Amino acid sequence: MTPLGESLQRARLARGVTLEEAERDTRISRRYLEALENENFGLLPAPVYARGFLRTYARYLGLEPVDLLPLFPVGYVEEPVLPPWPKVKQPRTWPSSGLLAGAVVGVLILIVAMLYALGGQGESGSQPFFGAQTFTPETRATAPAATLTPAVAAVAETPTPAETPTPAETPTPAETATPVAEVAPGKMPNLKGQDQSQAIATLQGLGLDYLVVQVKSDDVPEGQVIRQSPSAGSDIDPERVVTLEVSRGP
């Protein structure tokens, strides 16, 4: 046993307090108190709630939480190892603007080819629309200074719109430990109007299982408990799951 569990157990025995009395006074489940004293950290809830239980229990025993928190292990909960996601190849897609530009260029090339073929099939004295012309000394004098050939305008590809940069993810605020609400022994506390994390900490302190259901609400702020089942003041049933309806905002 390390100094953490030994200090808690020694302080409790020095005050002559049993685990049942500590459970009743601190509103923390006995199994969590035993887990802290025996250092069975795997039985504790999430670290943010477990550290809150440690603070409450230390103050109850007359100890300084700042002296015990450094002894509390960080990251004792093993993260589940998930298999890697399979690689999915994104199918190649062609933008509609690029297809339209390609079709226009193809039509223009076809028109130019047809005009060139028609020019080559003209009378023997006529000149083709395109291609080099041969001048003799007799015709050079009478030939025009320059012959302009109508140019075919090139269709510029429509620029693809720049991808909109994805906004950076807003960092999730760190969880903070919330005190356990005062409740009557053996009765359900009134969790309506409390913050979700505070209500969960209260239920975990009582050793109760819970289910959080988020509902849309225009009047209640986000993260606040709207309703609870069983209702406040009813007898606590350890085998029953407590349902919390929490607002997720409008």
Side-chain angles (χ1 to χ4, degrees):
M1 182 181 297
T2 62
L4 175 61
E6 184 178 355
S7 299
L8 294 174
Q9 190 177 55
R10 184 185 302 167
R12 179 176 61 81
L13 295 177
R15 295 187 59 179
V17 178
T18 64
L19 289 173
E20 290 79 6
E21 294 173 342
E23 178 184 25
R24 184 187 63 246
D25 296 338
T26 62
R27 304 295 191 270
I28 300 176
S29 175
R30 174 178 174 175
R31 61 177 180 175
Y32 293 152
L33 298 179
E34 290 179 343
L36 288 173
E37 289 189 2
N38 298 327
E39 299 179 2
N40 293 329
F41 302 113
L43 301 178
L44 296 173
V48 63
Y49 300 117
R51 292 171 71 88
F53 293 159
L54 178 58
R55 292 189 185 94
T56 302
Y57 193 32
R59 294 192 187 100
Y60 172 73
L61 297 177
L63 302 175
E64 289 295 334
V66 294
D67 297 334
L68 298 179
L69 285 175
L71 303 177
F72 189 80
V74 179
Y76 61 84
V77 179
E78 295 183 357
E79 295 291 339
V81 179
L82 300 178
W85 288 93
K87 295 182 179 180
V88 180
K89 294 183 178 180
Q90 185 176 4
R92 179 178 296 179
T93 57
W94 298 95
S96 57
S97 58
L99 293 176
L100 179 60
V104 173
V105 171
V107 172
L108 291 177
I109 293 175
L110 181 60
I111 293 175
V112 171
M114 292 177 61
L115 292 177
Y116 183 80
L118 292 176
Q121 295 177 359
E123 297 181 355
S124 59
S126 61
Q127 297 291 335
F129 288 100
F130 300 96
Q133 297 182 3
T134 304
F135 294 92
T136 62
E138 290 77 8
T139 59
R140 185 179 299 276
T142 59
T147 302
L148 297 178
T149 303
V152 180
V155 179
E157 293 184 358
T158 304
T160 304
E163 296 181 354
T164 304
T166 304
E169 295 182 356
T170 304
T172 304
E175 295 180 328
T176 56
T178 53
V180 180
E182 294 293 336
V183 295
K187 300 294 183 179
M188 279 295 301
N190 184 11
L191 305 177
K192 182 178 180 181
Q194 293 188 9
D195 184 73
Q196 176 180 337
S197 59
Q198 182 180 4
I200 291 176
T202 301
L203 295 176
Q204 289 183 336
L206 296 173
L208 299 176
D209 296 328
Y210 60 91
L211 174 65
V212 177
V213 179
Q214 293 186 343
V215 297
K216 180 180 180 181
S217 176
D218 297 331
D219 302 328
V220 181
E222 181 179 358
Q224 184 172 326
V225 177
I226 302 175
R227 283 180 290 275
Q228 68 179 81
S229 178
S231 60
S234 59
D235 293 335
I236 292 179
D237 184 3
E239 303 298 328
R240 184 171 180 181
V241 178
V242 180
T243 303
L244 299 178
E245 294 187 14
V246 180
S247 171
R248 61 181 177 87

